[in-house]
Each structure stands twice: as structure tokens, then as C-alpha cells.
Amino acid sequence: MDLTLLKQHSACAWEIPAQGKMRVPAMIYASRELVRAMDHKVYEQAVNVAMLPGIVGASHVMPDAHWGYGFPIGGVAAFDADAGGVVSAGGVGFDVSCGVRCLHTGLRREHIMAVQRELAEALFERIPAGVGSTGAIRLNSAQMDAMLSGGAKWAVERGWGSNADLERVEEHGQMLHAKPKFVSEQAKKRQREEMGTLGSGNHYLEVQEVTAVFDAAIASAYGLHQGDIVLMIHCGSRGLGHQIGTEFLRKMVEAAPGYGIILPDRELACAPIRSDLGQEYLGAMRAAINCALANRQILTQLVRDVFAKLLPSAQLPVLYDVSHNTCKLETHKVDGQPRELYVHRKGATRAWGPGHPELPQALRASGQPVLIGGSMGTGSYVLAGTKASESLAFSSACHGAGRAMSRHQALKTWNGRTVVDELAQRGILIRSPSMRGVAEEAPDAYKDVNAVVDAADAAGLARKVARLEPLVCIKG
DNA sequence: ATGTCC
């Protein structure tokens, strides 16, 4: 990206001033180096989002942003329904409510290393992974609707996990106002055999070691200490979310002219929040959020089953569960006044600051855990939400390393088997059904996650708490 | 991300 197009506010905050048809400015939160490395397409997309009806404040770009469908991945935009605001399927993304869940284990590195290979095999055997992977669960029509309304709460009621898990999940495990009746039969059909599966692409399940602590007080409140072993699950709403995204994108493209919405890019297809199509999408999208929450809840129980056999001393309570592809109705202060806004976060994590009433009591004083999935080789982070992010980007932060190279380019550059062997030499065991997938996900196909979280911290979006490095990775 | 092109 051409830095001369930007007005620098601070080391990690850059403005694209409102110009032309932009209703608000765009803000990019990243270091000079990260901004310079961003594709010019991110600039264009952030500008295009700023043109949409009813947008409030600014079109925000997180430090891990890259070129996406319509909206950048790493984009945050809030809309006011009373001001003609819109909801956009492309502003949420195809993998609705894709997110990360972190489990404690109560174990230390030596416990894992004693059984590292067996653990990798057992997790790989128990966790269905890869394109089109299916699980052991079959849902009939009534059960599907109950899952789409109930989310992780439904899964716990069915025996996957415990009530204590739910308070550590956004929305307390259940996204309200989901409307399964607006989820097509085709979307439900695609999901019928996919509950409790990891999926493919950048989805993974990792056993990780806490290798650095940056804020000892918050880390302790989160129950994280140097050398602790945690487990991260990164996955989403599988075929159901993808089908919903595909169908509503098409409907929104077709309907936009009728709503008088002129799109700078047809990929920004959207509908007024106060329209039948907008409400249908919100109802279906919330159902997909519940699908993802239920999926991560079921996977949690599968993981606990594996540990119960192999490492029976382990306890695996949930640290937290965040989604990073959503549109949620939230209250935010704008110019000192609280307003109800529909906040799109696409490849961006909600990051409530200290004191937020939706946080569980044990975490409230520290701010929300923000779980950042890195790449297979470079590690992950736990950050904490800040007060500052409320006024910066509607309490949002980054979500991962962010791709630096296309899948196509990565395939030309790396061989999957070689990537697995090189990581094994560094003590990281990868198990995947797809060596092609591993090549696409090679660590160097991603931005430097350290630089991304440093920028998020410096910008004030979230505070660095702990760094995690993988020992075992099940890759979709 | 994705029954990686109905």
C-alpha cells in the first residue's frame, strides 16, 4: 500500500480521509512495515466499505488484514439501522462464526512430550478433519433446528461438555434471535453429517505450550503460566455457513438495485437492516453462529475423551471461545452517546475491555481474552481486550497472522511433506489428511504473527498477554 | 472458507 495516500495518526494508526463517495474515513491499525506490505486491494476495499449506507465512525482495518471478498479480511464496520444501515453477507464472510476456542489442560510440557506421538495419532484418529469430513453425529430435521437455535448450549444439553463451559463462550454459548426457518434445506443438508468436524483450510486443532508471558497479572487471571499446556480449536460453521453465505450473497446482489443501493463493487452486496432480506440474513447468520458454537463444543468433548484415555490427570476447562466472522447488534458510544449498531467483524475478533458486563466474573477485571491463531510454525497469542479499543474500533482486534501469500502461490512454493518434516525437526508434529493443504498453510505463507500482535498492542486494540507455540497440530 | 466448478 502506498503510504503517501495515508494520514498518519500514530505509529500504528493511519487514516484514509473521507473523499469522493466515502461517508466516513477508513482507519488502518498497523505498523509502517505491515501497512506497506498490504495489498493495494485492502485500501480499495476499506474505501468501498466506507461508502456503504448507514456506516458509523469509520471503516476499520486490523493489522492482519488482507484482500477478501468485498470487505477485507481483517475489516470492522458498524451500521445504524435507523440511518439506513445495511447488513452484508460479504462483510461477515463465508465461514460464518469461524473462531477459536482455548482449553486449559493443567499439564506441563513434559507430560505432552512423554506421549507426543501417541497424542498426535489419537487426536488425528478422533477428530474428523479435511474437506468434506463427516462425524459420527446425525441430526434429523427437528434436531437440526434445535442445534441452530441452541448453539453450544444445545450441545451441552445433549451431553457434549458441561454448563461451566458456556459462561466462557461469547453469547454464553447461545446466539439469540437465530431463525432456522431462514436457513435453506440445502444448507441444513450439507451440515447433517458435519457436526463435530474440523474442516479444512486454515482450520486446526493444536496442543500448545505457553512460551512467553507479557502481562503476568492478566495471564494469571486467565489461568496461564509459563510452561502451561493449552489446546486451541480453530474452526467454524462448515458447509452450512458456506451455503448460507453463498445463497444470501446472490440474493443481495439481485436485491440491491431495488433498495436503491448503488454498490461500488458488486461483492459488497448488502441489504438494509430494516428489510425482509436483511432480517432473513441476520436470522440465518445467527443460526450459523450457533452451528459454529455447537461444533466447537462437540469438538471440545472429543478432545476431552482423547485426553481421558491418554493423559487421565488432565482437566480441560474452557479458557474462552471467540468468533471472528460475525455481525452482531451491540451498544457502542459514538461521540459520547450510546448507539445500537450492527458491527460486522470479518477476520476480526470482538475484544471487550475490562469491566464489560458480558464477561464472566472471573475475567471481567482483566478484559476479554482475545485468541489469536497463528500459523503452524510460528505460534499463537492470547491478548486481552482494552478500554481503548472501544473508541478505536468498536472493541475489536485482529484474529490471526493473516495470509501473506495466496494458496496458489504457496502450492507452487512448498511441498507438504517437506513442511511436515521440517516442523517435525523443530519438535512440532503435524497430522493432516491433505499434504496439499499443509503446503497451502506453510508457515511462511503467513504474515509474521509477532509483528501483527505487536501492532495490535501498540495501536491499543488489545494487550499482549501470552505467546503459545505448538507441539501437536491436527490440520484440516 | 467450501461437497476446492451444478
Side-chain angles (χ1 to χ4, degrees):
Chain A
M1 191 180 293
D2 180 356
L3 295 171
T4 65
L5 297 171
L6 310 175
K7 182 177 153 195
Q8 186 168 15
H9 286 212
S10 66
C12 288
W14 309 73
E15 178 186 352
I16 305 173
Q19 54 203 284
K21 291 178 179 164
M22 291 171 72
R23 296 166 193 261
V24 293
M27 288 297 303
I28 302 171
Y29 300 99
S31 64
R32 179 180 297 271
E33 293 71 26
L34 286 169
V35 176
R36 191 182 283 128
M38 279 179 194
D39 197 302
H40 184 68
K41 270 283 178 185
V42 175
Y43 177 96
E44 289 177 12
Q45 293 190 322
V47 164
N48 288 342
V49 169
M51 296 177 185
L52 292 174
I55 188 168
V56 173
S59 160
H60 296 289
V61 176
M62 301 291 109
D64 51 339
H66 54 109
W67 178 11
Y69 185 94
F71 287 58
I73 296 164
V76 176
F79 296 84
D80 184 342
D82 293 334
V86 294
V87 59
S88 170
V92 171
F94 284 89
D95 189 7
V96 178
S97 199
C98 179
V100 182
R101 174 177 288 214
C102 183
L103 309 177
H104 297 287
T105 67
L107 302 173
R108 308 284 294 176
R109 179 188 176 88
E110 57 270 23
H111 297 116
I112 299 301
M113 298 316 282
V115 292
Q116 188 187 18
R117 193 163 294 274
E118 296 93 314
L119 181 61
E121 299 301 340
L123 287 169
F124 186 51
E125 197 259 330
R126 191 82 170 98
I127 307 294
V131 177
S133 55
T134 56
I137 298 163
R138 298 289 177 271
L139 300 183
N140 65 28
S141 177
Q143 292 165 333
M144 177 67 68
D145 284 359
M147 181 275 287
L148 292 173
S149 295
K153 186 164 177 279
W154 168 86
V156 167
E157 286 163 359
R158 294 284 307 257
W160 292 290
S162 69
N163 278 320
D165 298 338
L166 298 177
E167 73 171 51
R168 297 300 185 110
V169 182
E170 285 183 314
E171 323 303 333
H172 309 287
Q174 180 184 31
M175 189 73 216
L176 298 177
H177 310 300
K179 298 281 169 29
K181 68 180 174 184
F182 295 133
V183 177
S184 71
E185 285 307 314
Q186 182 63 12
K188 291 173 181 173
K189 183 182 167 194
R190 283 183 66 172
Q191 195 58 27
R192 212 159 50 196
E193 301 183 354
E194 290 193 346
M195 294 310 295
T197 67
L198 197 58
S200 64
N202 67 358
H203 290 169
Y204 61 79
L205 185 151
E206 276 187 356
V207 179
Q208 304 170 337
E209 177 184 2
V210 178
T211 56
V213 170
F214 307 100
D215 186 312
I218 297 179
S220 181
Y222 287 177
L224 297 173
H225 313 88
Q226 180 87 23
D228 283 355
I229 299 296
V230 300
L231 193 138
M232 287 260 206
I233 299 167
H234 178 202
C235 67
S237 53
R238 306 286 288 107
L240 181 135
H242 190 267
Q243 187 68 25
I244 290 171
T246 303
E247 291 170 6
F248 277 94
L249 269 167
R250 197 182 61 237
K251 287 181 186 175
M252 287 175 174
V253 168
E254 289 166 359
Y259 293 124
I261 298 173
I262 296 161
L263 297 174
D265 172 358
R266 65 179 269 133
E267 292 186 1
L268 288 170
C270 57
I273 293 159
R274 298 211 196 292
S275 69
D276 287 348
L277 183 55
Q279 289 299 308
E280 287 169 23
Y281 175 70
L282 284 166
M285 186 269 305
R286 288 166 180 151
I289 289 177
N290 280 328
C291 177
L293 297 183
N295 196 32
R296 290 197 287 274
Q297 185 64 42
I298 293 167
L299 287 168
T300 295
Q301 196 53 44
L302 298 184
V303 167
R304 286 172 177 159
D305 293 346
V306 169
F307 275 73
K309 282 188 183 148
L310 214 54
L311 292 156
S313 69
Q315 296 289 320
L316 293 100
V318 180
L319 166 56
Y320 211 66
D321 181 305
V322 295
S323 296
H324 49 228
N325 285 350
T326 59
C327 176
K328 291 183 175 177
L329 178 58
E330 299 169 359
T331 305
H332 290 279
K333 270 192 184 167
V334 181
D335 300 327
Q337 294 300 315
R339 285 169 72 176
E340 300 290 312
L341 301 175
Y342 289 78
V343 183
H344 294 66
R345 294 188 183 87
K346 179 185 186 183
T349 309
R350 186 155 77 180
W352 295 134
H356 196 283
E358 285 192 32
L359 293 175
Q361 198 61 50
L363 305 176
R364 196 168 295 169
S366 305
Q368 182 207 300
V370 178
L371 309 174
I372 306 297
S375 72
M376 293 181 288
T378 54
S380 300
Y381 279 84
V382 177
L383 313 182
T386 61
K387 275 276 186 234
S389 183
E390 167 64 30
S391 52
L392 290 171
F394 304 108
S395 293
S396 307
C398 52
H399 83 305
R403 288 202 80 87
M405 187 187 284
S406 71
R407 294 185 178 280
H408 183 74
Q409 188 64 37
L411 271 181
K412 287 199 295 186
T413 309
W414 291 287
N415 170 278
R417 174 51 58 188
T418 311
V419 171
V420 168
D421 290 345
E422 285 174 1
L423 287 168
Q425 282 171 20
R426 290 168 44 196
I428 303 167
L429 296 187
I430 310 292
R431 292 291 181 275
S432 175
S434 166
M435 282 307 117
R436 172 186 165 149
V438 170
E440 289 179 349
E441 294 293 317
D444 290 340
Y446 280 83
K447 296 185 213 291
D448 177 1
V449 69
N450 305 303
V452 167
V453 300
D454 283 348
D457 188 301
L461 298 174
R463 182 165 175 74
K464 267 168 67 171
V465 175
R467 175 178 161 80
L468 315 164
E469 292 181 46
L471 296 172
V472 172
C473 173
I474 309 304
K475 192 79 189 167

